[in-house]
């Protein structure tokens, strides 16, 4: 309406002898309307693309979560750690894969987030970590850093991230106890 009002104001200040001023205003109006329509179409397409990405990510996260729950020794992992891996961590993996410029890069595991799951599961099983305490000492810093980095990508709440990391750190001392 603003553009139409400007056109009317423009025409009201003209000395009109023929249809030429109307034709030029009509051309200007059509150009403005076309530009606005293109802008709206681009915004609509961007929203649709974002929705497709969200849907794709959700479907991929569900598949990843199911695959994580099927991993060998998953039944030996504390339930809260398994729920984390098949929940928020599956979201991290899915987002990394959906967002990757080349999803096949890094063996289909951008960021190495999926490869972290077996290490995470191993690290919370004292019966296994007692056999390799040096490996646990080497694994923990990178594991915790990658967990923190990955959780930031999905805007996981910092308080929940801290609670998770504290839980994991609390499980690790058992590896150094004598059976």
């Amino acid at each position: 309406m603003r553009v139409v009002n400007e056109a009317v104001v423009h025409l009201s200040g003209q000395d009109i002898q023929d249809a030429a001023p109307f034709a030029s205003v009509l051309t200007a109006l059509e150009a403005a309307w076309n530009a606005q329509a293109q802008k709206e179409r681009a915004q609509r397409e961007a929203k649709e693309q974002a929705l497709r990405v969200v849907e794709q990510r959700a479907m991929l996260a569900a598949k990843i979560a199911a695959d994580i729950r099927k991993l060998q020794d998953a039944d030996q992992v504390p339930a809260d750690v398994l729920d984390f891996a098949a929940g928020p961590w599956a979201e991290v993996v899915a987002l990394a894969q959906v967002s990757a410029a080349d999803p096949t890069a890094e063996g289909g595991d951008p960021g190495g987030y999926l490869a972290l799951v077996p290490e995470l599961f191993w690290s919370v099983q004292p019966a296994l970590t007692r056999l390799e305490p040096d490996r646990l000492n080497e694994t923990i810093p990178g594991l915790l850093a990658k967990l923190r980095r990955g959780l930031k990508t999905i805007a996981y709440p910092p308080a929940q991230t801290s609670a998770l990391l504290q839980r994991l750190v609390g499980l690790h001392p058992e590896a150094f106890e004598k059976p």
Side-chain angles (χ1 to χ4, degrees):
M1 287 305 298
R2 179 185 55 79
V3 176
V4 171
N5 285 335
E6 288 174 3
V8 170
V9 168
H10 174 72
L11 287 172
S12 66
Q14 298 285 318
D15 182 28
I16 298 178
Q17 301 298 323
D18 58 14
F22 291 103
S24 66
V25 166
L26 179 60
T27 302
L29 282 173
E30 288 174 341
W33 290 331
N34 286 337
Q36 184 176 358
Q38 281 183 324
K39 181 180 175 183
E40 289 172 358
R41 186 172 35 259
Q43 288 174 340
R44 187 175 54 254
E45 288 172 359
K47 285 180 184 178
E48 290 170 357
Q49 175 62 23
L51 182 58
R52 280 192 298 273
V53 167
V54 167
E55 289 173 350
Q56 182 183 9
R57 176 180 155 195
M59 289 176 15
L60 184 56
K63 180 188 177 307
I64 291 167
D67 291 345
I68 287 172
R69 289 190 182 280
K70 292 177 189 172
L71 286 175
Q72 182 180 1
D73 294 337
D75 57 334
Q76 304 298 314
V77 175
D80 60 333
V81 175
L82 180 60
D83 290 343
F84 165 77
W89 198 251
E91 288 286 330
V92 169
V93 175
L95 178 61
Q97 291 180 3
V98 168
S99 301
D102 180 8
T104 61
E106 300 178 61
D109 186 16
Y113 296 131
L114 189 57
L116 178 132
V117 175
E119 286 294 308
L120 174 65
F121 284 7
W122 172 82
S123 78
V124 297
Q125 296 181 60
L128 298 177
T129 55
R130 278 189 194 111
L131 302 173
E132 299 178 78
D134 291 339
R135 176 181 166 200
L136 183 62
N137 278 333
E138 293 172 11
T139 302
I140 290 173
L143 179 84
L144 297 179
K146 192 173 281 191
L147 284 168
R148 184 174 276 119
R149 186 172 55 250
L151 290 171
K152 282 183 182 178
T153 66
I154 62 166
Y156 197 67
Q160 288 181 280
T161 300
S162 294
L164 169 75
L165 298 179
Q166 287 175 358
R167 167 75 169 128
L168 295 176
V169 169
L171 289 170
H172 294 149
E174 292 181 41
F176 302 103
E177 296 173 2
K178 299 281 187 211

